[in-house]
Amino acid sequence: MNTAADHASPLAPEWLAVPADLNALQEPMWASGVGKNDAGEITVEGLSVSELKERFGTPLFVMSESDFRSRARAFKDAFDAAFADICGGVDVYYAGKSFLCTAVASWVAEEGLRLDTCSGGELAVAARAGIEGSNLGLHGNNKSDAEINRALDMSLGRIVVDSIDELERVAKIASSRGEVAKVMLRLTPGVHAHTHEFIATAHEDQKFGLSMAEDSTEEAGLSAAEEAVAAATSYASIELLGLHCHIGSQIFEPDGFAVAAEKLLGFLAAMQAKYSIVMPELDLGGGYGIAYTPVDTPRPPAEIAEAMAAVVRSKCAELGITPPRISIEPGRAIVGSTTFTLYEVGTLKTVRVDAPESEDGQKNVTYPRRYVSVDGGMSDNARPVLYDADYSAILASRDSDATPQLSRVVGKHCESGDIVVRDVYLPADVAAGDLLAVPGTGAYCWALSSNYNYLARPGVVAVRDGAARLIVRGETEEDLLNRDMGVANV
Ligand code: LLP
């Protein structure tokens, strides 16, 4: 009898195993409520992908509203519980940049979370969803005067200031309006984390934030971060709420968050003592990782929350300060796994590829790689192209008994780098008209989508209690032509 391993291709990356059952939904990439029906079709709360395709077409982002709500609540509950004795709980700001529309903004508010925005456009969505200004934060390294004014118009709970330059601008604008802006300062603690590792460096060479390195200004011993604290306390139009940092994305281990928290608390204590001020808030940013493939191992929110709480508790005790109110800004970890993208398969072809160099003595041997083209691509998921991100895929419209074949799922764009899933085992009989589902596409896929090659951006469907509704409609050709001013105007 053939085993799964007999079908392993030498062209596959080391981490990719042949699934024992190609028809099974592999944990932990899928939203709760996603399953399979008797016909072998993927379903979301009982709705089959063929019904969804029939109603909404493909490509389509299929989001589970129930899963979104429970992941949002899970973060809030886990962090509230872990920090209850430290600062009475945690304010969780959903990072809207990962995916935002008015429906999602309203779920966020209903589940007791706040919303982190980073542009006037995201503020407009928040306003349309009726989110109170006090529950909103505004980020960005280059906020326009219009965006700062809009934040003040909406009485925002916090503007996260990114530079000395911007601090001056916010102070000036608030002062001219006779108002006081609530401000946090974004610091770069020199801690960078990615997936399993973090690195700590003294210096920062990036566009975001105020450096904590002591030689980061021309004045000896003064960091840009301290310069900003001193300046903030001198403006009557600024209320300095506290400090902020964001150390990276797709982070699995809590160590990096813990080191950043320690650094920021030490600095907060020093500044409070030196300038006789109290900074009541500390935001530790987002970046919690999710599973894109079966080998990714994200931690449950409670585990991360407890690790972070332990550090905050002991560091505050060591410094002898009252713990600030902690906030966090998860985006991907709330929305990423709630969604899969549904595509229809079109063209198929198989190429022969030379054996990898590692195969000793296997010169002149070639292996097959099958290209499976789908009806979307880098316009609805730019992450493989931008970040070399790995994804997974499964045949969604039926079960198959065919053997596993190493496949590369590609889009329909005029670009050879237009890859959706670089390496995945799919059944050998996948054919035009089949539907494929790519899980984990809730974060930074629709958000980064484009109209490259004049493709219409897909719609987003939310499923709740077995019913599907469009929360963002797909674009039409008319939408695409709408902004083109036409020949008469040239
Ligand atoms: N807070 C701040 C200040 C951020 O800059 C970010 C992400 C977040 C929170 C949310 O991070 P999350 O929890 O979603 O990882 N496009 C990239 C990710 C860019 C993240 C930018 N900032 C990607 O697709 O991997």
Side-chain angles (χ1 to χ4, degrees):
M1 195 189 123
N2 278 354
T3 64
D6 294 335
H7 301 286
S9 166
L11 302 178
E14 239 169 60
W15 60 264
L16 183 68
V18 184
D21 177 1
L22 274 186
N23 297 314
L25 294 166
Q26 284 183 281
E27 292 291 339
M29 287 113 60
W30 298 89
S32 59
V34 176
K36 283 206 147 190
N37 63 18
D38 294 342
E41 267 190 275
I42 289 190
T43 56
V44 190
E45 296 182 8
L47 278 178
S48 71
V49 287
S50 55
E51 287 173 82
L52 290 168
K53 181 202 150 64
E54 192 66 31
R55 275 182 67 191
F56 305 106
T58 55
L60 182 69
F61 288 103
V62 183
M63 178 181 285
S64 162
E65 177 178 345
S66 332
D67 195 56
F68 182 101
R69 288 178 181 272
S70 67
R71 286 177 200 269
R73 251 190 335 265
F75 260 92
K76 178 75 177 132
D77 291 350
F79 276 78
D80 268 349
F83 283 85
D85 65 315
I86 302 174
C87 51
V90 166
D91 298 318
V92 181
Y93 287 76
Y94 167 68
K97 71 201 79 185
S98 55
F99 176 80
L100 190 63
C101 64
T102 47
V104 159
S106 72
W107 306 342
V108 163
E110 283 163 17
E111 299 304 330
L113 279 71
R114 299 181 179 194
L115 182 65
D116 160 37
T117 66
C118 65
S119 70
E122 289 185 1
L123 282 178
V125 177
R128 197 187 212 195
I131 312 286
E132 280 184 31
S134 56
N135 286 332
L136 293 171
L138 177 66
H139 268 288
N141 65 302
N142 189 23
K143 302 173 190 75
S144 67
D145 288 0
E147 286 171 325
I148 294 167
N149 272 301
R150 186 173 208 160
L152 294 171
D153 289 344
M154 291 172 70
S155 305
L156 241 61
R158 51 167 70 164
I159 299 175
V160 185
V161 163
D162 213 85
S163 62
I164 302 263
D165 202 46
E166 185 179 85
L167 183 66
E168 281 168 18
R169 254 176 329 117
V170 173
K172 204 165 141 203
I173 293 172
S175 163
S176 72
R177 297 168 57 115
E179 292 174 24
V180 175
K182 292 180 192 303
V183 157
M184 297 187 85
L185 298 175
R186 177 169 177 173
L187 310 188
T188 48
V191 178
H192 300 264
H194 182 70
T195 308
H196 293 290
E197 292 154 42
F198 77 90
I199 50 164
T201 57
H203 288 94
E204 292 285 353
D205 187 9
Q206 60 148 312
K207 71 170 185 171
F208 290 115
L210 294 145
S211 174
M212 294 175 74
E214 292 200 339
D215 56 354
S216 56
T217 61
E218 281 175 19
E219 203 171 317
L222 194 69
S223 65
E226 177 167 354
E227 194 180 13
V229 170
T233 56
S234 71
Y235 292 118
S237 58
I238 296 284
E239 178 186 345
L240 181 57
L241 294 177
L243 307 174
H244 174 283
C245 72
H246 172 76
I247 60 167
S249 272
Q250 185 59 0
I251 301 165
F252 291 152
E253 307 292 336
D255 323 19
F257 296 115
V259 172
E262 279 194 330
K263 275 188 115 170
L264 261 77
L265 284 167
F267 180 77
L268 182 135
M271 294 300 103
Q272 291 192 154
K274 186 164 173 182
Y275 294 95
S276 305
I277 53 169
V278 174
M279 289 188 271
E281 296 189 30
L282 177 65
D283 191 306
L284 296 170
Y288 313 97
I290 65 162
Y292 286 108
T293 71
V295 294
D296 290 332
T297 51
R299 303 280 186 277
E303 195 181 319
I304 305 166
E306 278 153 27
M308 288 166 69
V311 166
V312 171
R313 191 182 289 111
S314 69
K315 190 72 186 173
C316 288
E318 178 196 320
L319 294 164
I321 57 168
T322 305
R325 172 84 178 178
I326 300 293
S327 51
I328 55 167
E329 297 169 338
R332 186 192 321 261
I334 291 177
V335 72
S337 302
T338 65
T339 301
F340 64 82
T341 310
L342 190 64
Y343 297 105
E344 185 175 314
V345 174
T347 305
L348 293 140
K349 79 163 187 178
T350 300
V351 298
R352 306 270 332 167
V353 180
D354 289 342
E357 277 174 19
S358 56
E359 281 215 321
D360 295 340
Q362 295 292 305
K363 291 215 171 59
N364 306 321
V365 178
T366 61
Y367 294 100
R369 184 194 315 284
R370 186 179 43 167
Y371 280 80
V372 178
S373 300
V374 294
D375 50 355
M378 62 192 289
S379 54
D380 57 71
N381 189 354
R383 297 191 70 260
V385 185
L386 279 178
Y387 316 114
D388 263 338
D390 285 314
Y391 280 87
S392 188
I394 188 169
L395 175 58
S397 41
R398 62 185 171 91
D399 278 340
S400 166
D401 294 331
T403 53
Q405 188 169 38
L406 184 70
S407 306
R408 178 161 288 173
V409 181
V410 293
K412 60 178 283 149
H413 291 276
C414 290
E415 190 140 333
S416 52
D418 173 27
I419 291 167
V420 179
V421 184
R422 193 172 307 275
D423 298 291
V424 61
Y425 287 99
L426 290 172
D429 65 350
V430 164
D434 278 333
L435 299 178
L436 281 192
V438 174
T441 56
Y444 306 109
C445 290
W446 185 89
L448 282 165
S449 62
S450 76
N451 290 126
Y452 185 36
N453 297 142
Y454 270 74
L455 259 65
R457 281 172 292 189
V460 185
V461 152
V463 178
R464 185 181 181 185
D465 299 333
R469 69 180 164 121
L470 270 181
I471 55 171
V472 182
R473 77 161 168 79
E475 279 172 332
T476 60
E477 228 163 64
E478 202 184 338
D479 290 327
L480 294 179
L481 293 175
N482 250 342
R483 287 182 309 140
D484 180 326
M485 300 307 286
V487 179
N489 289 318
V490 173

mmCIF file of all heavy atoms in Angstrom, residues 95 97-98 116 139 186 208 244 246 248-250 285-288 292 329-333 383 387 443-444 448, ligand 1:
data_model
loop_
_atom_site.group_PDB
_atom_site.id
_atom_site.type_symbol
_atom_site.label_atom_id
_atom_site.label_comp_id
_atom_site.label_asym_id
_atom_site.label_seq_id
_atom_site.Cartn_x
_atom_site.Cartn_y
_atom_site.Cartn_z
ATOM 1 N N ALA A 95 -6.259 46.153 15.324
ATOM 2 C CA ALA A 95 -5.499 46.912 14.326
ATOM 3 C C ALA A 95 -6.231 46.871 12.985
ATOM 4 O O ALA A 95 -6.161 45.888 12.248
ATOM 5 C CB ALA A 95 -4.091 46.334 14.180
ATOM 6 N N LYS A 97 -5.726 48.124 10.220
ATOM 7 C CA LYS A 97 -4.957 47.989 8.967
ATOM 8 C C LYS A 97 -4.980 46.556 8.435
ATOM 9 O O LYS A 97 -4.814 46.332 7.252
ATOM 10 C CB LYS A 97 -3.517 48.464 9.170
ATOM 11 C CG LYS A 97 -2.673 47.547 10.020
ATOM 12 C CD LYS A 97 -1.475 48.268 10.601
ATOM 13 C CE LYS A 97 -1.917 49.079 11.803
ATOM 14 N NZ LYS A 97 -0.873 49.916 12.383
ATOM 15 N N SER A 98 -5.193 45.567 9.325
ATOM 16 C CA SER A 98 -5.171 44.173 8.875
ATOM 17 C C SER A 98 -6.397 43.853 8.017
ATOM 18 O O SER A 98 -6.286 43.167 7.007
ATOM 19 C CB SER A 98 -5.060 43.216 10.069
ATOM 20 O OG SER A 98 -6.098 43.458 10.989
ATOM 21 N N ASP A 116 -7.799 50.563 16.454
ATOM 22 C CA ASP A 116 -6.567 51.270 16.082
ATOM 23 C C ASP A 116 -6.636 51.593 14.592
ATOM 24 O O ASP A 116 -6.846 50.697 13.778
ATOM 25 C CB ASP A 116 -5.389 50.342 16.423
ATOM 26 C CG ASP A 116 -4.111 50.696 15.685
ATOM 27 O OD1 ASP A 116 -3.863 51.899 15.490
ATOM 28 O OD2 ASP A 116 -3.359 49.768 15.320
ATOM 29 N N HIS A 139 -2.561 56.078 14.413
ATOM 30 C CA HIS A 139 -1.136 55.869 14.199
ATOM 31 C C HIS A 139 -0.681 56.538 12.917
ATOM 32 O O HIS A 139 -1.497 57.039 12.154
ATOM 33 C CB HIS A 139 -0.857 54.375 14.045
ATOM 34 C CG HIS A 139 -0.520 53.693 15.322
ATOM 35 N ND1 HIS A 139 0.676 53.892 15.954
ATOM 36 C CD2 HIS A 139 -1.209 52.821 16.076
ATOM 37 C CE1 HIS A 139 0.699 53.153 17.053
ATOM 38 N NE2 HIS A 139 -0.434 52.497 17.150
ATOM 39 N N ARG A 186 5.333 56.925 20.382
ATOM 40 C CA ARG A 186 5.784 55.617 19.885
ATOM 41 C C ARG A 186 7.300 55.545 19.942
ATOM 42 O O ARG A 186 7.999 56.317 19.280
ATOM 43 C CB ARG A 186 5.305 55.381 18.456
ATOM 44 C CG ARG A 186 5.819 54.066 17.907
ATOM 45 C CD ARG A 186 5.158 53.667 16.618
ATOM 46 N NE ARG A 186 5.748 52.440 16.099
ATOM 47 C CZ ARG A 186 5.300 51.763 15.061
ATOM 48 N NH1 ARG A 186 4.225 52.203 14.428
ATOM 49 N NH2 ARG A 186 5.890 50.672 14.655
ATOM 50 N N PHE A 208 9.801 54.405 11.635
ATOM 51 C CA PHE A 208 8.863 54.568 12.739
ATOM 52 C C PHE A 208 9.540 54.939 14.043
ATOM 53 O O PHE A 208 10.623 54.442 14.358
ATOM 54 C CB PHE A 208 8.084 53.265 12.974
ATOM 55 C CG PHE A 208 7.106 52.941 11.892
ATOM 56 C CD1 PHE A 208 7.279 51.830 11.100
ATOM 57 C CD2 PHE A 208 6.013 53.764 11.668
ATOM 58 C CE1 PHE A 208 6.368 51.531 10.087
ATOM 59 C CE2 PHE A 208 5.100 53.482 10.664
ATOM 60 C CZ PHE A 208 5.281 52.360 9.869
ATOM 61 N N HIS A 244 4.310 53.874 23.757
ATOM 62 C CA HIS A 244 3.849 52.821 22.853
ATOM 63 C C HIS A 244 5.033 52.168 22.161
ATOM 64 O O HIS A 244 6.026 52.835 21.871
ATOM 65 C CB HIS A 244 2.933 53.456 21.793
ATOM 66 C CG HIS A 244 2.520 52.492 20.716
ATOM 67 N ND1 HIS A 244 3.353 52.115 19.682
ATOM 68 C CD2 HIS A 244 1.366 51.818 20.519
ATOM 69 C CE1 HIS A 244 2.732 51.248 18.905
ATOM 70 N NE2 HIS A 244 1.520 51.053 19.386
ATOM 71 N N HIS A 246 5.787 48.787 19.083
ATOM 72 C CA HIS A 246 5.292 47.659 18.270
ATOM 73 C C HIS A 246 6.533 46.983 17.712
ATOM 74 O O HIS A 246 7.291 47.597 16.969
ATOM 75 C CB HIS A 246 4.395 48.178 17.148
ATOM 76 C CG HIS A 246 4.006 47.112 16.162
ATOM 77 N ND1 HIS A 246 3.058 46.154 16.448
ATOM 78 C CD2 HIS A 246 4.440 46.855 14.903
ATOM 79 C CE1 HIS A 246 2.930 45.347 15.395
ATOM 80 N NE2 HIS A 246 3.764 45.752 14.445
ATOM 81 N N GLY A 248 7.022 44.061 15.877
ATOM 82 C CA GLY A 248 7.081 43.242 14.666
ATOM 83 C C GLY A 248 5.800 42.484 14.452
ATOM 84 O O GLY A 248 4.801 42.741 15.133
ATOM 85 N N SER A 249 5.840 41.552 13.508
ATOM 86 C CA SER A 249 4.614 40.854 13.138
ATOM 87 C C SER A 249 4.850 39.358 13.040
ATOM 88 O O SER A 249 5.977 38.909 12.846
ATOM 89 C CB SER A 249 4.139 41.356 11.782
ATOM 90 O OG SER A 249 3.321 42.473 11.946
ATOM 91 N N GLN A 250 3.754 38.609 13.134
ATOM 92 C CA GLN A 250 3.787 37.144 12.995
ATOM 93 C C GLN A 250 4.774 36.543 14.015
ATOM 94 O O GLN A 250 5.640 35.740 13.691
ATOM 95 C CB GLN A 250 4.134 36.779 11.534
ATOM 96 C CG GLN A 250 4.106 35.313 11.161
ATOM 97 C CD GLN A 250 2.752 34.635 11.376
ATOM 98 O OE1 GLN A 250 1.786 35.252 11.816
ATOM 99 N NE2 GLN A 250 2.669 33.354 11.128
ATOM 100 N N GLY A 285 1.591 47.182 21.553
ATOM 101 C CA GLY A 285 1.462 46.909 20.127
ATOM 102 C C GLY A 285 0.823 45.574 19.796
ATOM 103 O O GLY A 285 0.218 44.907 20.642
ATOM 104 N N GLY A 286 0.978 45.193 18.531
ATOM 105 C CA GLY A 286 0.399 43.935 18.053
ATOM 106 C C GLY A 286 1.504 42.997 17.621
ATOM 107 O O GLY A 286 2.622 43.084 18.119
ATOM 108 N N GLY A 287 1.183 42.087 16.690
ATOM 109 C CA GLY A 287 2.220 41.225 16.132
ATOM 110 C C GLY A 287 2.074 39.750 16.444
ATOM 111 O O GLY A 287 2.938 38.964 16.070
ATOM 112 N N TYR A 288 0.978 39.345 17.111
ATOM 113 C CA TYR A 288 0.808 37.937 17.505
ATOM 114 C C TYR A 288 0.562 37.073 16.266
ATOM 115 O O TYR A 288 -0.266 37.396 15.427
ATOM 116 C CB TYR A 288 -0.356 37.822 18.503
ATOM 117 C CG TYR A 288 -0.255 38.869 19.589
ATOM 118 C CD1 TYR A 288 -0.964 40.060 19.502
ATOM 119 C CD2 TYR A 288 0.623 38.698 20.656
ATOM 120 C CE1 TYR A 288 -0.825 41.052 20.467
ATOM 121 C CE2 TYR A 288 0.762 39.677 21.620
ATOM 122 C CZ TYR A 288 0.045 40.854 21.523
ATOM 123 O OH TYR A 288 0.184 41.829 22.459
ATOM 124 N N TYR A 292 -0.353 29.825 9.060
ATOM 125 C CA TYR A 292 -0.601 29.882 7.620
ATOM 126 C C TYR A 292 -0.460 28.496 6.998
ATOM 127 O O TYR A 292 -1.000 28.224 5.945
ATOM 128 C CB TYR A 292 0.386 30.841 6.947
ATOM 129 C CG TYR A 292 0.077 32.302 7.209
ATOM 130 C CD1 TYR A 292 0.866 33.076 8.056
ATOM 131 C CD2 TYR A 292 -1.018 32.896 6.607
ATOM 132 C CE1 TYR A 292 0.571 34.407 8.284
ATOM 133 C CE2 TYR A 292 -1.325 34.233 6.828
ATOM 134 C CZ TYR A 292 -0.524 34.979 7.665
ATOM 135 O OH TYR A 292 -0.831 36.291 7.891
ATOM 136 N N GLU A 329 -2.483 45.844 20.505
ATOM 137 C CA GLU A 329 -3.082 46.146 19.194
ATOM 138 C C GLU A 329 -3.019 44.949 18.234
ATOM 139 O O GLU A 329 -2.392 45.030 17.176
ATOM 140 C CB GLU A 329 -2.331 47.315 18.550
ATOM 141 C CG GLU A 329 -2.426 48.606 19.308
ATOM 142 C CD GLU A 329 -1.471 49.684 18.795
ATOM 143 O OE1 GLU A 329 -0.461 49.346 18.147
ATOM 144 O OE2 GLU A 329 -1.751 50.861 19.046
ATOM 145 N N PRO A 330 -3.666 43.841 18.562
ATOM 146 C CA PRO A 330 -3.611 42.706 17.640
ATOM 147 C C PRO A 330 -4.483 42.937 16.410
ATOM 148 O O PRO A 330 -5.587 43.455 16.515
ATOM 149 C CB PRO A 330 -4.169 41.540 18.467
ATOM 150 C CG PRO A 330 -5.037 42.192 19.494
ATOM 151 C CD PRO A 330 -4.491 43.563 19.749
ATOM 152 N N GLY A 331 -3.971 42.577 15.245
ATOM 153 C CA GLY A 331 -4.764 42.641 14.019
ATOM 154 C C GLY A 331 -4.886 41.244 13.440
ATOM 155 O O GLY A 331 -5.921 40.580 13.518
ATOM 156 N N ARG A 332 -3.734 40.758 12.907
ATOM 157 C CA ARG A 332 -3.685 39.446 12.258
ATOM 158 C C ARG A 332 -4.271 38.327 13.128
ATOM 159 O O ARG A 332 -5.002 37.478 12.633
ATOM 160 C CB ARG A 332 -2.217 39.131 11.946
ATOM 161 C CG ARG A 332 -1.997 37.879 11.148
ATOM 162 C CD ARG A 332 -0.493 37.516 11.146
ATOM 163 N NE ARG A 332 0.362 38.669 11.035
ATOM 164 C CZ ARG A 332 0.931 39.088 9.914
ATOM 165 N NH1 ARG A 332 0.753 38.412 8.805
ATOM 166 N NH2 ARG A 332 1.695 40.158 9.911
ATOM 167 N N ALA A 333 -3.925 38.334 14.430
ATOM 168 C CA ALA A 333 -4.335 37.210 15.281
ATOM 169 C C ALA A 333 -5.842 37.189 15.504
ATOM 170 O O ALA A 333 -6.405 36.176 15.912
ATOM 171 C CB ALA A 333 -3.601 37.268 16.621
ATOM 172 N N ARG A 383 0.908 39.014 -0.342
ATOM 173 C CA ARG A 383 1.877 38.644 0.694
ATOM 174 C C ARG A 383 2.959 37.654 0.223
ATOM 175 O O ARG A 383 4.127 37.819 0.582
ATOM 176 C CB ARG A 383 1.162 38.133 1.956
ATOM 177 C CG ARG A 383 0.285 39.214 2.606
ATOM 178 C CD ARG A 383 -0.221 38.817 3.991
ATOM 179 N NE ARG A 383 0.851 38.791 4.964
ATOM 180 C CZ ARG A 383 1.455 37.696 5.373
ATOM 181 N NH1 ARG A 383 1.062 36.516 4.933
ATOM 182 N NH2 ARG A 383 2.433 37.768 6.246
ATOM 183 N N TYR A 387 6.418 39.318 0.812
ATOM 184 C CA TYR A 387 7.143 38.832 1.999
ATOM 185 C C TYR A 387 7.600 37.390 1.874
ATOM 186 O O TYR A 387 7.979 36.789 2.883
ATOM 187 C CB TYR A 387 6.258 38.929 3.255
ATOM 188 C CG TYR A 387 5.486 40.196 3.398
ATOM 189 C CD1 TYR A 387 4.100 40.191 3.342
ATOM 190 C CD2 TYR A 387 6.133 41.420 3.596
ATOM 191 C CE1 TYR A 387 3.374 41.360 3.483
ATOM 192 C CE2 TYR A 387 5.410 42.590 3.725
ATOM 193 C CZ TYR A 387 4.035 42.561 3.668
ATOM 194 O OH TYR A 387 3.317 43.706 3.796
ATOM 195 N N ALA A 443 -6.089 38.615 7.081
ATOM 196 C CA ALA A 443 -5.289 39.805 7.410
ATOM 197 C C ALA A 443 -4.350 40.168 6.265
ATOM 198 O O ALA A 443 -3.686 39.287 5.702
ATOM 199 C CB ALA A 443 -4.466 39.547 8.679
ATOM 200 N N TYR A 444 -4.287 41.438 5.950
ATOM 201 C CA TYR A 444 -3.323 41.983 4.976
ATOM 202 C C TYR A 444 -3.432 41.334 3.587
ATOM 203 O O TYR A 444 -2.434 41.255 2.871
ATOM 204 C CB TYR A 444 -1.887 41.857 5.519
ATOM 205 C CG TYR A 444 -1.720 42.482 6.885
ATOM 206 C CD1 TYR A 444 -1.535 41.699 8.014
ATOM 207 C CD2 TYR A 444 -1.793 43.871 7.041
ATOM 208 C CE1 TYR A 444 -1.410 42.277 9.275
ATOM 209 C CE2 TYR A 444 -1.671 44.450 8.300
ATOM 210 C CZ TYR A 444 -1.483 43.649 9.404
ATOM 211 O OH TYR A 444 -1.367 44.220 10.648
ATOM 212 N N LEU A 448 -4.425 44.771 1.329
ATOM 213 C CA LEU A 448 -3.335 45.121 0.414
ATOM 214 C C LEU A 448 -3.734 44.894 -1.050
ATOM 215 O O LEU A 448 -2.875 44.910 -1.929
ATOM 216 C CB LEU A 448 -2.113 44.240 0.714
ATOM 217 C CG LEU A 448 -1.254 44.595 1.932
ATOM 218 C CD1 LEU A 448 -0.342 43.424 2.291
ATOM 219 C CD2 LEU A 448 -0.404 45.813 1.656
HETATM 220 N N1 LLP B 1 0.185 48.180 15.840
HETATM 221 C C1 LLP B 1 1.046 48.798 15.016
HETATM 222 C C2 LLP B 1 1.630 50.084 15.416
HETATM 223 C C3 LLP B 1 1.396 48.221 13.795
HETATM 224 O O1 LLP B 1 2.269 48.834 13.006
HETATM 225 C C4 LLP B 1 0.824 46.978 13.422
HETATM 226 C C5 LLP B 1 1.159 46.359 12.148
HETATM 227 C C6 LLP B 1 -0.098 46.381 14.302
HETATM 228 C C7 LLP B 1 -0.378 47.001 15.509
HETATM 229 C C8 LLP B 1 -0.778 45.084 13.995
HETATM 230 O O2 LLP B 1 0.087 44.026 13.811
HETATM 231 P P1 LLP B 1 -0.483 42.521 13.701
HETATM 232 O O3 LLP B 1 -1.030 42.140 15.036
HETATM 233 O O4 LLP B 1 -1.577 42.535 12.673
HETATM 234 O O5 LLP B 1 0.681 41.723 13.264
HETATM 235 N N2 LLP B 1 1.613 43.732 5.843
HETATM 236 C C9 LLP B 1 2.427 42.921 6.738
HETATM 237 C C10 LLP B 1 2.234 43.316 8.156
HETATM 238 C C11 LLP B 1 2.462 44.768 8.375
HETATM 239 C C12 LLP B 1 2.164 45.101 9.785
HETATM 240 C C13 LLP B 1 2.217 46.543 9.987
HETATM 241 N N3 LLP B 1 1.898 46.936 11.314
HETATM 242 C C14 LLP B 1 2.070 41.474 6.534
HETATM 243 O O6 LLP B 1 1.164 41.198 5.764
HETATM 244 O O7 LLP B 1 2.681 40.580 7.119
#
